[in-house]
Amino acid sequence: VSAFNLFFSLNRKKMNLKSERRGIHVDQSELLCKKGCGYYGNPAWQGFCSKCWREEYHKARQKQIQEDWELAERLQREEEEAYASSQSTQGAQSLTFSKFEEKKTNEKTRKVTTVKKFFTASSRAGTKKAEIQEAKAPSPSINRQASIETDRVSKEFIEFLKTYQKPGQDIYKQCKLFLDTMNHKRDLSIEEQSECAQDFYQNVADKLQTRWKVPPEKVEKAMDQIEKYIMTRQYKYVFCPETTDDEKKDLAVQKRIRALHWVTPQMLCVPVNEEIPEVSDMVVKAITDIIEMDSKRVPRDKLACITKCSKHIFNAIKITKNEPASADDFLPTLIYIVLKGNPPRLQSNIQYITRFCNPSRLMTGEDGYYFTNLCCAVAFIEKLDAQSLNLSQEDFDRFMTGQTSPKKQESDSFSPDVCLGVKQMCKSLDLLSQLNERQERIVSEAKKLEKDLIDWTDGITKEVEDIVEKYPLEIKPKSQALAAIDSENVENDKLPPPLQPQVYAG
């Protein structure tokens, strides 16, 4: 999660006319190692580059070894103290210290005698035979049943080393020694085997530069051939091993991508117009390259597939926009290609490259840059949510559950040779369908509002009735209004004498 937060900044807002859209953005600085060494980082290395990750890994490993050693010493010391205490108590009751030593010696002798029985002539022969069979167990798959590709790579490697003369012989010996060592380290974890491979790459590269004084450009070629030779032979043992959860991650990513089949280029702000034939061809080639990655056995060849895929993406964007593509355009398009292609064993391939590729290729250069972006794309797909696609949570949930799907655009529905009238008609039908859905949604909300108003009215009426029942009103009869003095209908006879008006004839 921390690596994902490091590589993604999903808060960039892109103005499109009067609407504000959310885009996928990653700064170039966020692709680099978080230790600041200048090399490319990787989510698999928690944001570090290969070099810094190994340093951190060795520090953590040494610390863990030291803690385990201290814990073992403490437990052994406590056990010895407890044993000495129990033996001293028993000795005080029954045996002396000399008898205890004699008993201990006899028990040790008996154990040695029992162990020696397993190494008699017959059993020793059987043991040797079993050991030989166990040691030769991998040989049928490595030698007698070697694939055509393995034989071809071996011949190419030997021919290549002939151009290096004396250093070539030493390189071949080092590679054979490394392969023999790895054959005896099958029980190690895949991380430890990866460490062995990375150490081997580093040692050979150092020897080529310091001891054999090989020019830098020839060192790079030699390292590529060395990686090709040893990883072609080690592929079946270290790619997606059973001791890891790589296969489980592959299935999870595949299931996730299938659930996101409804995502459109518009949701990801992908600047690619597949109606243009050249762009459509580039998209198909990019998908083919990313799928082809799984058929390769060498990490460098898998990286080459990623690089070719990325270059096709850049070309598609360039043709669509008629200008060079930017990093902000590349990452969303790469995510779209991965969603559309759903490459097989994606996580296993990424882990295999991370563990056994020549580290110099992952830390620098275009291969390292494109591989880092692919890791970012996979991490984004795993964390994809409604907000990153500019959707409401309700629509996102409905699309994910398959209840409905977003309406496809014309470019997804028609080929370029379909007449304009048919396109316009289908577009109008889609618009009417959308309006119908909106009307149904409005009617449903209106009915809900009507029900809420009725419930509210009934509730208020009941409250008023309860109050009237608890506090009844007493309505008194209306009293007769008093007549005003200046009124025309004043009853003069009821007024007192001094105030009685006088009538004068005029």
Side-chain angles (χ1 to χ4, degrees):
V1 176
S2 61
F4 175 78
N5 292 333
L6 173 66
F7 284 112
F8 287 103
S9 300
L10 298 177
N11 296 323
R12 184 177 66 92
K13 295 184 178 180
K14 182 179 180 181
M15 297 300 296
N16 184 11
L17 298 177
K18 293 183 179 181
S19 63
E20 195 174 272
R21 286 188 61 83
R22 180 185 179 88
I24 303 167
H25 173 67
V26 57
D27 293 331
Q28 296 304 301
S29 59
E30 295 175 346
L31 298 177
L32 301 177
C33 175
K34 67 181 183 181
K35 202 170 182 179
C37 64
Y39 297 121
Y40 289 120
N42 194 300
W45 298 323
Q46 299 181 5
F48 292 102
C49 68
S50 175
K51 181 180 178 182
C52 296
W53 167 249
R54 292 184 67 196
E55 293 176 356
E56 296 294 326
Y57 177 79
H58 281 303
K59 289 180 182 177
R61 189 176 179 184
Q62 291 298 327
K63 182 179 179 182
Q64 185 64 39
I65 291 174
Q66 182 65 26
E67 292 178 354
D68 292 344
W69 182 260
E70 293 176 355
L71 177 62
E73 286 185 338
R74 181 170 60 82
L75 293 176
Q76 184 179 5
R77 187 167 55 251
E78 292 176 356
E79 185 178 355
E80 289 177 351
E81 292 176 356
Y83 180 78
S85 176
S86 63
Q87 290 300 323
S88 62
T89 303
Q90 293 178 3
Q93 294 176 356
S94 60
L95 298 174
T96 61
F97 181 75
S98 59
K99 290 184 178 181
F100 167 72
E101 288 293 330
E102 182 181 356
K103 181 179 179 181
K104 185 176 180 180
T105 304
N106 293 335
E107 184 178 356
K108 184 176 180 181
T109 304
R110 181 177 58 82
K111 288 182 179 180
V112 171
T113 304
T114 304
V115 172
K116 284 183 178 181
K117 291 180 181 179
F118 290 97
F119 295 93
T120 58
S122 59
S123 63
R124 188 181 298 118
T127 305
K128 282 186 176 180
K129 185 177 181 180
E131 291 177 354
I132 292 173
Q133 290 179 352
E134 183 178 357
K136 290 185 177 181
S139 61
S141 59
I142 295 177
N143 297 324
R144 292 194 298 270
Q145 298 178 359
S147 65
I148 298 176
E149 183 179 0
T150 302
D151 293 338
R152 179 179 56 82
V153 169
S154 299
K155 293 178 181 178
E156 291 177 355
F157 185 60
I158 293 174
E159 290 296 325
F160 172 80
L161 291 180
K162 288 180 180 178
T163 61
Y164 283 73
Q165 298 178 356
K166 182 63 170 67
Q169 297 177 5
D170 294 337
I171 291 173
Y172 187 74
K173 291 179 181 178
Q174 293 288 331
C175 291
K176 293 294 290 183
L177 179 62
F178 172 76
L179 291 174
D180 292 339
T181 303
M182 292 296 291
N183 287 335
H184 291 88
K185 291 185 176 181
R186 300 287 179 226
D187 56 337
L188 295 180
S189 66
I190 194 63
E191 286 77 15
E192 292 174 323
Q193 295 184 52
S194 172
E195 283 295 307
C196 293
Q198 298 296 329
D199 290 337
F200 174 73
Y201 289 144
Q202 187 65 44
N203 293 334
V204 174
D206 292 342
K207 288 180 180 179
L208 286 171
Q209 293 176 353
T210 58
R211 182 188 299 179
W212 298 318
K213 306 299 181 183
V214 178
E217 61 275 5
K218 296 191 70 175
V219 171
E220 191 68 23
K221 292 181 180 179
M223 293 306 300
D224 290 341
Q225 291 296 325
I226 290 170
E227 176 190 317
K228 184 177 182 180
Y229 173 68
I230 65 174
M231 294 316 303
T232 301
R233 290 182 169 274
Q234 294 294 310
Y235 176 78
K236 65 175 65 178
Y237 303 109
V238 297
F239 181 83
C240 191
E242 296 180 355
T243 56
T244 64
D245 59 348
D246 292 350
E247 184 177 1
K248 182 179 178 181
K249 292 180 179 179
D250 289 335
L251 296 176
V253 171
Q254 274 202 342
K255 183 178 179 181
R256 176 69 173 174
I257 292 177
R258 287 172 183 168
L260 294 169
H261 66 90
W262 48 268
V263 176
T264 63
Q266 291 74 24
M267 294 178 182
L268 296 169
C269 300
V270 175
V272 170
N273 184 7
E274 294 185 63
E275 286 190 353
I276 304 174
E278 296 179 2
V279 175
S280 179
D281 291 342
M282 291 296 174
V283 171
V284 172
K285 290 179 180 178
I287 294 174
T288 303
D289 290 331
I290 198 68
I291 293 176
E292 188 182 2
M293 174 179 62
D294 186 59
S295 65
K296 303 299 182 181
R297 302 181 70 177
V298 183
R300 182 173 65 89
D301 293 342
K302 292 181 181 292
L303 275 179
C305 292
I306 298 173
T307 301
K308 288 192 296 182
C309 169
S310 301
K311 289 183 177 180
H312 288 316
I313 290 174
F314 273 106
N315 290 333
I317 297 173
K318 183 178 179 181
I319 295 172
T320 301
K321 299 181 66 176
N322 200 19
E323 62 181 17
S326 64
D328 290 345
D329 297 330
F330 170 67
L331 183 58
T333 311
L334 178 60
I335 294 171
Y336 172 67
I337 293 297
V338 173
L339 288 175
K340 196 168 183 180
N342 196 359
R345 300 192 292 185
L346 183 56
Q347 281 289 4
S348 292
N349 283 288
I350 290 177
Q351 291 295 332
Y352 176 68
I353 294 172
T354 302
R355 292 164 182 159
F356 296 102
C357 184
N358 184 4
S360 62
R361 283 194 171 274
L362 297 183
M363 294 190 298
T364 57
E366 61 179 6
D367 289 340
Y369 173 76
Y370 294 138
F371 179 71
T372 302
N373 275 274
L374 178 62
C375 296
C376 293
V378 175
F380 178 86
I381 291 172
E382 292 175 341
K383 304 295 181 181
L384 197 64
D385 57 6
Q387 189 178 12
S388 57
L389 294 177
N390 305 293
L391 296 173
S392 64
Q393 189 62 43
E394 179 184 0
D395 289 340
F396 182 82
D397 294 338
R398 287 192 295 113
F399 296 156
M400 288 296 291
T401 55
Q403 296 178 4
T404 184
S405 61
K407 297 299 177 182
K408 294 185 177 180
Q409 301 296 321
E410 287 185 37
S411 58
D412 298 328
S413 304
F414 302 104
S415 59
D417 56 348
V418 176
C419 67
L420 183 61
V422 174
K423 291 183 179 180
Q424 187 63 37
M425 180 185 67
C426 292
K427 184 177 180 181
S428 300
L429 290 175
D430 289 340
L431 181 60
L432 289 174
S433 177
Q434 294 177 14
L435 291 174
N436 185 41
E437 290 180 2
R438 291 177 59 185
Q439 183 183 8
E440 290 177 355
R441 195 158 50 243
I442 291 172
V443 171
S444 175
E445 295 294 333
K447 290 182 179 179
K448 182 180 178 182
L449 178 61
E450 181 182 9
K451 184 177 181 301
D452 292 341
L453 288 174
I454 293 174
D455 294 341
W456 179 78
T457 303
D458 293 341
I460 295 297
T461 303
K462 188 176 185 306
E463 289 182 5
V464 171
E465 290 176 352
D466 292 342
I467 293 173
V468 170
E469 183 179 356
K470 187 175 182 181
Y471 305 101
L473 296 177
E474 294 181 3
I475 301 177
K476 297 180 179 181
K478 186 177 180 181
S479 59
Q480 188 175 3
L482 297 176
I485 297 178
D486 296 332
S487 175
E488 295 180 357
N489 300 320
V490 176
E491 296 179 0
N492 298 332
D493 53 344
K494 293 182 180 180
L495 293 176
L499 298 177
Q500 190 172 6
Q502 300 294 324
V503 180
Y504 295 94

